[in-house]
Amino acid sequence: MRIPGPEPRADGGVGAVAAAGGLHVYQLRLHAEYGPVVRFQLPGAETAVSVADPVLLEATAHIDKRPERLFEFLAPLCEAGNLQVLPAEEHTPWRRLLLSVLAGRPSHERHFARFTALTTEVADRWAERAGRGPVEPQKDLTALSLRMICAYALGGDVEDPDRVVTAFEEVLTEYLGRLYRAPAVEGTEGRAGRAEEALAHLRAVVDRVVAARRAGGRVDRSDLVGALVDAGERPARIRDTVMMTMLAAHHTTGVAVSWTLHLLGRHPEVAERVAEELDRVLGDRAAPGYADLRRLTYLEMVLKEAMRLYPPGPYGARETTEALALGEYEIPAGATVFYPFWAVHMNPDYWPEPEKFVPERFTPEEVAKRPRLAYIPFGLGPRGCEGAGLAMVEAELVLAVLLKRFRFRPVPGHEVRPIERFVLWAADDIHMFVSPRVPG
């Protein structure tokens, strides 16, 4: 049976995506009109199919290939091959190594105190602003998440970490910016030159960290660079892995927390319940310990519901290596299969009144009623996010520190509009007033 979808356009689909306001919104509209499986046009994908039904997604969960043309923009950041599109035989051992570090409790605990200190610095700055004007959570919290991942990836051996953060922001601005601007824009040559210098600086920093580890014989497998050195990875692959880890983790945690604060500002009754849980679990302490996170069950539900409504990464993509049966449809080999995370999370068959913010959707009883792929903020299958566990630890810590200390309310009249900029980004940030809260 032919997969439903819009009629082909001469522009290859560019105009339809632009008119919708981005691929994330376009996918929502396609699935609302054509159903759970949709065929559509997209530059770089000869055959593109989007799947928004979690049961049908199961048939694609084994795919271990990404479409190379869609990830070409990341190739300049890698010296030993684009890590986003490694072939399966090379990707599998590399992924296993990353999971041994990023998903492990020892590495989370080892860095928890540093993460807490960095978060407290942001909270202190916001305390100074209380009563003097709104804060911009997205801007401040994405910078915080970059500082966290720098500390995680490079350990405590980096000189001038602020310069590392600035250099990485230069790189991101240039290389991700190429996705969203025309090729010949005035002033881009200067930015490109600065980005090249920043990239060279970052690689030199990683090289110095690696050399120091090897010279000192100090290899800690709970540290990303230490694990890569211990595994015998070559310098170029270590540099690439650090860059990709920083890229993946930099925006995602910050925007996840920002969207959560946005929702809590509009649902003060939920924010109050979170505050009560924090007071009960933490008492007079301003920040949780690592073990406390397991007891902050309602906070976790709130975060998960926020990532359902505003998934940090709005979609993913795979490429079929053989023909694939998907319900009543057949997907040909070489097709690009899109995972429209946002559309999956808004599927009314599995999420009643999906536009509503209801953290109780994530009680164990409610979770058990849904297919496992109804909620996929970190992707799925062998190309799912290796840092999902670390991201949750970071986000819950940041939320716990901020919500223990402050109340948040939206700035009247400020429009919060989600757009796709590699992550689901608020176009003009999320302006909020903060005020100190007195623990109950």
Side-chain angles (χ1 to χ4, degrees):
M1 182 181 291
R2 178 178 171 81
I3 301 172
E7 291 300 315
R9 298 167 53 119
D11 64 1
V14 173
V17 174
L23 183 56
H24 61 308
V25 177
Y26 186 48
Q27 289 174 328
L28 282 174
R29 294 180 180 177
L30 286 175
H31 287 291
E33 182 173 353
Y34 296 102
V37 182
V38 181
R39 169 195 44 80
F40 68 105
Q41 286 178 290
L42 191 72
E46 185 174 334
T47 302
V49 178
S50 185
V51 185
D53 185 276
V55 176
L56 294 177
L57 279 175
E58 289 283 0
T60 74
H62 66 284
I63 301 175
D64 193 0
K65 180 175 173 59
R66 282 198 175 115
E68 294 187 12
R69 289 178 63 186
L70 294 181
F71 288 87
E72 282 179 354
F73 72 100
L74 293 174
L77 303 186
C78 297
E79 299 174 290
N82 190 336
L83 293 177
Q84 294 296 318
V85 294
L86 287 178
E89 63 272 13
E90 192 176 355
H91 172 255
T92 299
W94 179 75
R95 174 180 171 83
R96 189 178 298 120
L97 175 60
L98 287 189
L99 285 170
S100 72
V101 183
L102 297 173
R105 174 171 177 162
S107 63
H108 298 170
E109 286 190 297
R110 180 175 183 266
H111 294 87
F112 198 81
R114 179 59 179 155
F115 290 169
T116 302
L118 290 169
T119 304
T120 301
E121 290 174 9
V122 172
D124 288 345
R125 290 199 302 273
W126 285 7
E128 293 175 0
R129 286 199 60 81
R132 295 168 46 200
V135 299
E136 298 178 334
Q138 186 173 254
K139 174 185 175 183
D140 291 345
L141 295 177
T142 54
L144 169 63
S145 59
L146 179 54
R147 282 171 168 78
M148 284 180 165
I149 200 59
C150 282
Y152 193 93
L154 301 174
D157 302 328
V158 181
E159 296 179 10
D160 196 357
D162 285 342
R163 186 181 175 192
V164 170
V165 170
T166 300
F168 194 74
E169 287 174 339
E170 286 273 7
V171 171
L172 281 184
T173 299
E174 173 58 23
Y175 288 102
L176 295 187
R178 293 176 186 178
L179 285 174
Y180 306 107
R181 66 169 181 260
V185 177
E186 185 177 352
T188 57
E189 289 186 7
R191 285 200 298 269
R194 290 194 300 272
E196 289 295 328
E197 292 176 6
L199 183 56
H201 173 70
L202 290 171
R203 287 172 173 162
V205 167
V206 177
D207 283 344
R208 286 195 292 272
V209 172
V210 171
R213 301 289 177 83
R214 285 176 170 154
R218 180 169 60 86
V219 176
D220 185 343
R221 286 190 59 85
S222 68
D223 177 278
L224 180 58
V225 168
L228 294 166
V229 170
D230 186 58
E233 289 284 358
R234 59 194 187 278
R237 176 53 58 81
I238 294 174
R239 288 192 291 268
D240 292 351
T241 301
V242 169
M243 291 295 296
M244 285 297 109
T245 302
M246 291 169 67
L247 171 66
H250 158 232
H251 278 131
T252 47
T253 302
V255 296
V257 175
S258 299
W259 287 118
T260 305
L261 295 178
H262 165 69
L263 289 164
L264 290 174
R266 282 155 176 74
H267 297 83
E269 72 288 353
V270 178
E272 186 59 34
R273 184 172 168 185
V274 172
E276 290 171 358
E277 179 181 72
L278 287 167
D279 290 345
R280 183 174 66 255
V281 173
L282 303 187
D284 293 334
R285 289 178 292 143
Y290 180 76
D292 292 318
L293 297 185
R294 289 180 297 175
R295 301 168 59 199
L296 297 173
T297 55
Y298 191 67
L299 177 69
E300 181 181 1
M301 288 192 286
V302 166
L303 173 60
K304 287 181 175 179
E305 174 69 344
M307 289 195 295
R308 181 189 69 83
L309 286 165
Y310 296 103
Y315 49 78
R318 305 289 187 269
E319 182 177 313
T320 56
T321 55
E322 57 188 5
L324 179 70
L326 204 63
E328 58 188 332
Y329 307 112
E330 182 169 299
I331 313 298
T336 297
V337 176
F338 270 90
Y339 298 151
F341 303 149
W342 210 7
V344 173
H345 290 179
M346 299 297 283
N347 187 328
D349 291 340
Y350 304 98
W351 304 99
E353 298 182 285
E355 73 287 348
K356 289 189 175 182
F357 177 56
V358 184
E360 289 74 16
R361 299 183 200 267
F362 287 92
T363 63
E365 296 77 17
E366 290 299 314
V367 170
K369 297 177 183 178
R370 293 188 293 268
R372 73 181 185 98
L373 298 183
Y375 178 69
I376 47 174
F378 298 106
L380 64 145
R383 297 276 176 170
C385 177
E386 292 87 2
L390 175 63
M392 289 297 290
V393 167
E394 291 178 338
E396 289 176 27
L397 166 64
V398 174
L399 285 168
V401 170
L402 297 178
L403 295 170
K404 185 75 165 69
R405 192 163 171 179
F406 303 114
R407 297 185 188 277
F408 293 85
R409 57 187 178 90
V411 172
H414 175 69
E415 180 187 7
V416 178
R417 181 169 58 90
I419 59 173
E420 190 265 313
R421 287 293 181 267
F422 194 64
V423 294
L424 198 61
W425 191 256
D428 189 27
D429 214 308
I430 302 170
H431 298 183
M432 305 193 79
F433 292 117
V434 298
S435 58
R437 63 171 293 267
V438 179

